[in-house]
Amino acid sequence: MLTIGVIFLLCPVYPLKAQKGSQQDGALILLEEGQNVTIVCPYQSDMAMHFSWYRHIIGHKPELISTIYKYESKATFYHEFKDNPRFNMVNGKGITYLNISKLQISDSATYYCGSAHSNIVEFGDGTELVVRASHVHILQQPTVQLVKSGDSVILQCTVLTGSISGDHSVYWLKHGSGESPPGIIYAHGDTNSQCSRSSETDSPTQSCVYKLPKTNLSLSDAGTYYCAVAVCGQILFGNGTKLNLDNKGVSCSEHIHILVLLSIIRTSLMSCCVSVIIIWHCTTRRAKTTVNVPFQKEMHYGRQLESFSHPRKTRLLV
């Protein structure tokens, strides 16, 4: 049996969700607490006689889960997995299974399978299993918010917890356009002071509201803000709230109103100018006409006087 625990032949690990029956190589499986999972490991070598499953948690050494001989029907489990009904190993022709039922947060790890033949020790890529807390929900509204430069806004995040005691940490992260991964900009202190319990339902829930005020907004504040909750050894993220800043400070509708008003003013000014020019032209012509008429009468009257003062001389014929 000692040889089984230390000698492995490469056997790549393929995850399989029992509900969907899909297979992948070296993939990441994301499930919630209480669900079941079946991790599948096919093998092609007819020489392999012993098969094993290992669990590896980051920062710890690999743990031997179980071993089985090719012609046996029942596997042998070790350490904390012994007599644990949630774990089951089944060996078939060209394939071996590891079943885990009623998943818990502590089941999050990388799982490897191995087959032993000759003095060879090799490992495949493994299957990473991440179990998320099903009793924690993060609500972030709205998903998009349009604000103007200089305005103020309050971002809000609601954390709903079920059976846990509410011992969690809350952070705000900002991801701007063109930046690297989101960075922490704020961490809440005493989170319990912002929580209230509700016992109206069959399963008591706890609601915690966290706010992030932003004042005197500028273009540098634009980006997506995420509410992150660290609980039960994992970090959960909200959907995020995207702040879009109108740098010009005037909305599209206001632009349209301003353009219409300017157009009306321009049209009115042009009409006034045309009216003034027409009136000035008419007044000028009338004034010229009034001056010419008396002058012509005066000239006619002068000629009449001249005719009387210089009578024609008449030649007398004798």
Side-chain angles (χ1 to χ4, degrees):
M1 295 300 291
L2 292 176
T3 305
I4 298 175
V6 295
I7 301 177
F8 298 94
L9 186 63
L10 174 63
C11 177
V13 181
Y14 297 84
L16 171 65
K17 292 182 181 180
Q19 298 87 342
K20 296 183 179 180
S22 60
Q23 297 186 11
Q24 295 178 339
D25 183 11
L28 170 67
I29 301 179
L30 296 174
L31 295 175
E32 293 186 353
E33 285 181 298
Q35 291 185 305
N36 303 328
V37 67
T38 298
I39 305 176
V40 178
C41 177
Y43 58 92
Q44 298 178 355
S45 176
D46 294 332
M47 302 296 294
M49 300 298 293
H50 299 93
F51 305 92
S52 303
W53 281 99
Y54 269 75
R55 182 178 75 175
H56 181 222
I57 300 176
I58 297 177
H60 299 79
K61 64 180 181 180
E63 304 171 273
L64 178 61
I65 300 176
S66 60
T67 59
I68 192 172
Y69 181 61
K70 184 176 183 179
Y71 299 105
E72 290 180 343
S73 59
K74 187 176 181 181
T76 302
F77 287 84
Y78 304 89
H79 311 300
E80 62 179 281
F81 308 100
K82 188 176 182 180
D83 299 327
N84 190 335
R86 297 195 305 110
F87 290 84
N88 184 34
M89 181 180 180
V90 179
N91 192 46
K93 184 177 181 180
I95 197 167
T96 180
Y97 304 87
L98 177 64
N99 301 316
I100 308 176
S101 60
K102 298 179 180 180
L103 287 171
Q104 301 176 1
I105 297 293
S106 58
D107 294 327
S108 298
T110 303
Y111 292 83
Y112 297 90
C113 73
S115 59
H117 178 71
S118 302
N119 295 324
I120 300 176
V121 179
E122 294 180 331
F123 291 93
D125 294 333
T127 299
E128 186 175 356
L129 174 64
V130 177
V131 183
R132 299 177 294 189
S134 61
H135 47 257
V136 178
H137 302 278
I138 303 176
L139 305 177
Q140 238 183 299
Q141 295 290 340
T143 55
V144 179
Q145 191 166 354
L146 179 63
V147 293
K148 298 179 182 178
S149 297
D151 286 355
S152 299
V153 68
I154 297 179
L155 304 179
Q156 183 168 305
C157 171
T158 302
V159 180
L160 301 176
T161 59
S163 58
I164 63 174
S165 61
D167 185 13
H168 58 271
S169 302
V170 179
Y171 306 90
W172 286 95
L173 298 92
K174 174 180 175 291
H175 184 210
S177 58
E179 294 181 2
S180 52
I184 297 176
I185 59 175
Y186 184 79
H188 287 277
D190 186 6
T191 58
N192 291 329
S193 62
Q194 304 175 72
C195 302
S196 59
R197 290 190 174 274
S198 173
S199 57
E200 296 178 358
T201 59
D202 295 335
S203 57
T205 59
Q206 180 176 256
S207 176
C208 307
V209 179
Y210 304 96
K211 298 180 180 180
L212 178 66
K214 301 286 293 181
T215 58
N216 194 21
L217 294 170
S218 62
L219 192 59
S220 61
D221 294 315
T224 304
Y225 292 79
Y226 295 93
C227 175
V229 179
V231 59
C232 296
Q234 64 177 336
I235 298 179
L236 306 176
F237 292 89
N239 294 328
T241 299
K242 186 175 183 180
L243 285 185
N244 290 331
L245 263 74
D246 185 1
N247 193 33
K248 297 180 180 179
V250 181
S251 64
C252 181
S253 60
E254 290 176 337
H255 275 297
I256 295 176
H257 293 160
I258 291 174
L259 291 175
V260 171
L261 181 60
L262 290 176
S263 178
I264 294 174
I265 294 175
R266 183 179 61 182
T267 304
S268 301
L269 289 175
M270 290 182 63
S271 300
C272 291
C273 291
V274 172
S275 301
V276 169
I277 292 173
I278 293 175
I279 294 173
W280 177 80
H281 181 69
C282 294
T283 304
T284 303
R285 291 189 61 183
R286 187 178 302 168
K288 289 182 178 180
T289 305
T290 305
V291 171
N292 289 335
V293 170
F295 179 75
Q296 291 177 358
K297 290 182 178 180
E298 182 179 354
M299 290 295 295
H300 180 70
Y301 180 71
R303 289 175 182 173
Q304 289 182 345
L305 291 177
E306 184 179 356
S307 63
F308 282 110
S309 58
H310 301 282
R312 294 180 180 178
K313 294 181 179 181
T314 304
R315 175 183 270 185
L316 293 178
L317 296 177
V318 180

